[in-house]
Amino acid sequence: MDLNLDAPHSMGTTIIGVTYNGGVVLGADSRTSTGMYVANRASDKITQLTDNVYVCRSGSAADSQVVSDYVRYFLHQHTIQLGQPATVKVSANLIRMLAYNNKQNMLQTGLIVGGWDKYEGGKIYGIPLGGTVVEQPFAIGGSGSSYLYGFFDQAWKENMTKEEAEQLVVKAVSLAIARDGASGGVVRTVIINSEGVTRNFYPGDKLQLWHEELEPQNSLLDILNAAGPEPMAM
Amino acid sequence: MTQSSVDLPPKGGFSFDLCKRNDMLTQKGLKAPSFLKTGTTIVGLIFKDGVILGADTRATEGPIVADKNCEKIHYMAPNIYCCGAGTAADTEAVTDMVSSQLRLHRYQTGRDSRVITALTLLKKHLFNYQGHVSAALVLGGVDITGPHLHTIYPHGSTDTLPFATMGSGSLAAMSVFEAKYKEGLTRDEGIKLVAEAICSGIFNDLGSGSNVDICVITKGHKEYLRNYMEPNPRTYVSSKGYSFTKKTEVLLTKITPLSERVEIVEVAGEAMEE
């Protein structure tokens, strides 16, 4: 069994960020794996940086946690010095600086920064492995994103409503969970707009079933305890 | 079909690819390498009034049990304890170091330590050493903000969970938790569940064994139940005891405990002036 419990903690992951008419919706799965073992089946990969900016983390769990901790600290200082909330662009830039300048130190984390500020409105910035920063209307990341490129090409449209955007994100994450072994658990979404932040939670058994997926069982114990066939009579 | 080099993720299940090669090597005379494991089963769970931590007590040196009754639940603060799996020296050293740092911090701030402080100190240290400090920890405690339970991995990542297991016996223990854990357990239910999970590790994992240690932390109170359960007693003890050879000369048969010779005097210090 490829069960290396000493393997570094990685988040196989599916992370998504989309803009809509008035803000952004960030979404992620909740599986953290150590080799082939699921170390945490209910992790929260959408981390707060400031009141109005959140980041979706993927790749090495340790690296992404440390990067987001540093950036949260820098942004806190920056907010105090600036005297007003930090912009999404500044947050993305700080993350990019850490990611790019630590390339030689084998930093392995892909991030999607999303938030709302009064100057630019809702914005999504993708910061993949090398340390580029790209402003996009929607961004996908993590191992599960491979299965979503075609889906987004077809399903994405400009100026969606908040409900449409969240439905899209939930559908996309659950599709990726169905196909990617390294993604799973629950779907978490965070909606950020001028009014504030809303966190939502979609447990695995409430998600739509896709091609050949089985109904979720509460526990194997239920199946085992179910009445078996009558014993054969000699 | 294009030939592209793609790193396939390792398949689950058994892979018998190297068995033929190993057979060939043993035939040629190469000794198979011995089984080296960092054994342990450590668990933690949050119950109604606080946190319960549990651990087995076996310390292994390769295939040999080096210590049959070691202590894996380390003191961090009066309200915070930490179970450690991995290299024993690393877990001891890192928990001692952070425990000292927490005490200095308590003196500076004048407040009780918080679990998140211990967490940040530990994860910063472990991340700086990029996983070479092989310490996998289950940190639990109750502070002013409530009960907290965290797991910390050697590379510096942390998780916050209602129940957690670590070490080579973690899968066995996690199966017990996943089947039987529910929110709002009472103290007795929680202790029973933790003991069950550790026993599952003790009996099903080669790297874990001996006894069960439990630590219950609630608001303002902690109970360290050392050797709460001893499910592996020594079943045969020779009635003759240890017999010395006839040639041994007996010098003294009286044993004087050293503590009797030492007088401990408590000096009442002066009260600190504001």
Side-chain angles (χ1 to χ4, degrees):
Chain A
M1 210 32 119
D2 272 309
L3 202 67
N4 182 14
L5 289 172
D6 297 321
H9 233 23
S10 84
M11 301 177 295
T13 305
T14 306
I15 50 173
I16 299 178
V18 314
T19 55
Y20 71 91
N21 187 12
V24 299
V25 179
L26 299 175
D29 73 309
S30 69
R31 178 172 288 187
T32 313
S33 40
T34 321
M36 283 279 123
Y37 175 62
V38 177
N40 187 350
R41 60 176 166 88
S43 43
D44 185 7
K45 302 182 190 180
I46 311 179
T47 323
Q48 183 183 24
L49 294 180
T50 70
D51 288 336
N52 53 317
V53 181
Y54 280 65
V55 62
C56 298
R57 303 179 287 112
S58 77
S60 155
D63 289 349
S64 67
Q65 281 180 7
V66 165
V67 166
S68 48
D69 283 346
Y70 268 118
V71 173
R72 191 182 309 121
Y73 163 63
F74 293 145
L75 281 173
H76 189 205
Q77 277 191 323
H78 173 68
T79 308
I80 293 170
Q81 289 171 344
L82 197 65
Q84 57 186 22
T87 59
V88 191
K89 188 184 269 194
V90 165
S91 318
N93 213 23
L94 283 170
I95 294 208
R96 186 264 299 185
M97 304 233 69
L98 277 175
Y100 183 76
N101 291 328
N102 284 295
K103 260 213 271 225
Q104 285 91 355
N105 298 328
M106 304 293 292
L107 201 68
Q108 266 197 324
T109 171
L111 303 152
I112 295 179
V113 180
W116 185 95
D117 58 52
K118 67 182 187 198
Y119 297 105
E120 307 245 0
K123 280 281 181 229
I124 293 283
Y125 292 87
I127 303 153
L129 234 50
T132 37
V133 62
V134 181
E135 199 260 297
Q136 300 167 294
F138 69 89
I140 53 180
S143 58
S145 66
S146 321
Y147 308 100
L148 298 176
Y149 284 100
F151 171 73
F152 268 92
D153 282 342
Q154 203 246 8
W156 158 262
K157 47 195 212 302
E158 287 272 336
N159 281 331
M160 285 187 287
T161 66
K162 181 167 75 153
E163 289 73 26
E164 283 178 333
E166 204 193 359
Q167 286 310 314
L168 179 67
V169 165
V170 172
K171 185 171 179 186
V173 178
S174 80
L175 279 168
I177 286 175
R179 286 288 178 182
D180 178 32
S183 303
V186 307
V187 179
R188 295 192 196 268
T189 62
V190 174
I191 308 174
I192 313 173
N193 50 32
S194 58
E195 279 139 42
V197 176
T198 318
R199 267 190 175 278
N200 284 325
F201 166 80
Y202 298 87
D205 54 356
K206 295 285 180 297
L207 298 172
Q208 189 182 347
L209 285 176
W210 304 111
H211 176 57
E212 283 189 341
E213 266 192 308
L214 298 171
E215 281 276 341
Q217 307 282 350
N218 249 338
S219 154
L220 261 183
L221 293 175
D222 291 341
I223 305 175
L224 292 172
N225 286 335
E230 288 294 322
M232 289 204 290
M234 283 297 277
Chain B
M1 195 121 60
T2 48
Q3 196 119 71
S4 50
S5 60
V6 176
D7 265 336
L8 291 167
K11 289 188 280 209
F14 292 105
S15 166
F16 296 105
D17 300 332
L18 290 171
C19 288
K20 262 197 179 167
R21 182 210 87 153
N22 292 343
D23 283 340
M24 186 265 292
L25 285 172
T26 41
Q27 269 171 19
K28 290 215 171 152
L30 182 75
K31 248 186 3 164
S34 62
F35 191 65
L36 183 72
K37 250 185 161 221
T38 50
T40 294
T41 309
I42 50 173
V43 307
L45 63 70
I46 297 200
F47 73 109
K48 194 155 58 88
D49 307 317
V51 174
I52 306 178
L53 300 173
D56 74 306
T57 60
R58 174 180 286 183
T60 50
E61 220 173 78
I64 301 171
V65 176
D67 189 347
K68 287 183 279 191
N69 204 4
C70 71
E71 286 187 30
K72 300 188 191 183
I73 306 186
H74 308 282
Y75 167 90
M76 300 285 272
N79 55 327
I80 307 173
Y81 274 75
C82 186
C83 307
T87 307
D90 286 341
T91 57
E92 272 293 334
V94 89
T95 48
D96 272 353
M97 181 190 83
V98 172
S99 170
S100 311
Q101 288 178 339
L102 283 175
R103 185 184 274 216
L104 288 170
H105 194 247
R106 275 202 294 285
Y107 292 148
Q108 260 197 327
T109 56
R111 292 176 170 81
D112 286 338
S113 298
R114 300 190 186 194
V115 183
I116 194 131
T117 317
L119 182 73
T120 310
L121 290 167
L122 285 164
K123 74 146 60 176
K124 281 217 145 44
H125 182 82
L126 291 173
F127 182 79
N128 277 338
Y129 283 89
Q130 286 289 297
H132 291 288
V133 174
S134 180
L137 310 165
V138 172
L139 176 73
V142 181
D143 57 35
I144 195 76
T145 49
H148 296 279
L149 180 68
H150 301 283
T151 53
I152 308 163
Y153 288 80
H155 287 263
S157 62
T158 59
D159 285 317
T160 308
L161 296 160
F163 56 90
T165 66
M166 296 279 261
S168 57
S170 64
L171 268 65
M174 186 52 100
S175 62
V176 173
F177 275 168
E178 286 283 21
K180 299 192 181 177
Y181 179 84
K182 49 190 214 296
E183 274 184 42
L185 290 164
T186 64
R187 190 201 119 96
D188 291 327
E189 288 174 337
I191 292 179
K192 186 159 162 284
L193 187 57
V194 165
E196 218 181 310
I198 299 286
C199 282
S200 168
I202 287 174
F203 294 121
N204 298 105
D205 174 44
L206 297 176
S208 313
S210 297
N211 312 315
V212 180
D213 282 351
I214 296 213
C215 185
V216 185
I217 311 173
T218 53
K219 188 161 126 94
H221 182 63
K222 61 145 190 284
E223 260 180 271
Y224 183 49
L225 304 167
R226 168 79 170 143
N227 288 356
Y228 170 77
M229 239 172 98
E230 292 177 344
N232 292 302
R234 193 159 164 214
T235 40
Y236 174 72
V237 183
S238 163
S239 51
K240 286 189 239 171
Y242 188 79
S243 48
F244 291 90
T245 57
K246 293 208 173 54
K247 291 191 201 157
T248 317
E249 193 179 318
V250 177
L251 292 173
L252 202 64
T253 48
K254 179 163 178 272
I255 300 171
T256 314
L258 280 176
S259 55
E260 279 179 14
R261 294 173 153 271
V262 172
E263 201 189 305
I264 302 166
V265 174
E266 289 239 9
V267 178
E270 282 184 352
M272 283 204 292
E273 280 171 39
E274 284 290 299

